[in-house]
Amino acid sequence: MKPGQTQRRPWIVGVSGASGTPYAAAVLRSLLEAGESVDLVVSRASRLTLLDETGLPFRDAHWQGDLREWLARGADGKPGTFDAFEEHLDGVRHWSAGDLAAGPSSGSYPAKGMLIVPASTACVAGVALGLSKDLLQRAASVTLKEGRRLVVAVRETPLNGQTLRHLVSLADAGATVLPASPAFYAGATHIQDLVDFVAGRVLDAAAVEHNLYRRWKGELGSGSRGDTT
């Protein structure tokens, strides 16, 4: 590193196979808009979910173009909904989910922490048990052992006892367990508002500034009035 040059310390964003790829897109857009660097790990299962939910592929050899199309798409599936993030894509580094020699697989790799959005129950179990079957799980295990922030946005319902025990194990290990559960007090009028609420709560847990949702101010009825300030 050259004198005066700042060391890159990204947020690792893992996308697992649970339904909820719009949550991941909203988190990624906001991180980039906040000037954060991102290391992206998209699991094999999540690529099938992304294809099913958006009609878009995610290919290692074409990840930049595929990511550009994905982030431009709104939660309702309409393309070209977002375009302000385009200039920030240089802040993203992609790692293949099967690359266990990747940077995030080591505790010596500099990172601020990791956000798993969405987190499937299989992913939750793998991280809780320390299986490290792919880079996503390995990076999460590294994040825990290094004492860095780990936010797990689990997306499943109902939750059985086994998954609940895994979530308790993650919380005991220092992770923030954040169910992808949107609230309605912010005056949501569109599916994107509900997605942005969950994405905003993920970023809150990571202490990253954003303006994705209107915060509660202790005024009953503000959501139904459509207040914007």
Side-chain angles (χ1 to χ4, degrees), residues 72-96:
R73 194 157 296 204
D76 57 4
K78 293 181 180 178
T81 301
F82 298 97
D83 57 12
F85 66 88
E86 179 74 26
E87 63 190 89
H88 304 298
L89 285 181
D90 288 343
V92 181
R93 183 170 186 179
H94 167 257
W95 300 95
S96 173

Side-chain angles (χ1 to χ4, degrees), residues 26-27 30-31 115 198-210 212:
V27 166
S30 294
L31 285 172
L115 316 175
V198 171
R201 295 299 286 150
V202 170
L203 295 170
D204 287 344
V208 175
E209 292 188 7
H210 65 88
L212 286 174

Side-chain angles (χ1 to χ4, degrees), residues 70-178:
W70 178 23
L71 297 190
R73 194 157 296 204
D76 57 4
K78 293 181 180 178
T81 301
F82 298 97
D83 57 12
F85 66 88
E86 179 74 26
E87 63 190 89
H88 304 298
L89 285 181
D90 288 343
V92 181
R93 183 170 186 179
H94 167 257
W95 300 95
S96 173
D99 185 3
L100 289 176
S105 68
S106 172
S108 66
Y109 183 78
K112 292 184 177 180
M114 184 172 184
L115 316 175
I116 306 178
V117 190
S120 66
T121 54
C123 173
V124 165
V127 177
L129 297 173
L131 298 182
S132 295
K133 73 168 189 176
D134 61 8
L135 180 59
L136 194 160
Q137 292 184 13
R138 172 58 186 169
S141 293
V142 167
T143 300
L144 287 175
K145 80 179 183 68
E146 296 296 323
R148 298 168 184 160
R149 292 179 191 258
L150 174 64
V151 182
V152 181
V154 60
R155 214 306 307 162
E156 184 60 271
T157 189
L159 296 172
N160 63 28
Q162 188 175 40
T163 297
L164 290 170
R165 285 188 287 272
H166 289 152
L167 291 173
V168 170
S169 294
L170 289 178
D172 288 344
T176 297
V177 174
L178 195 150

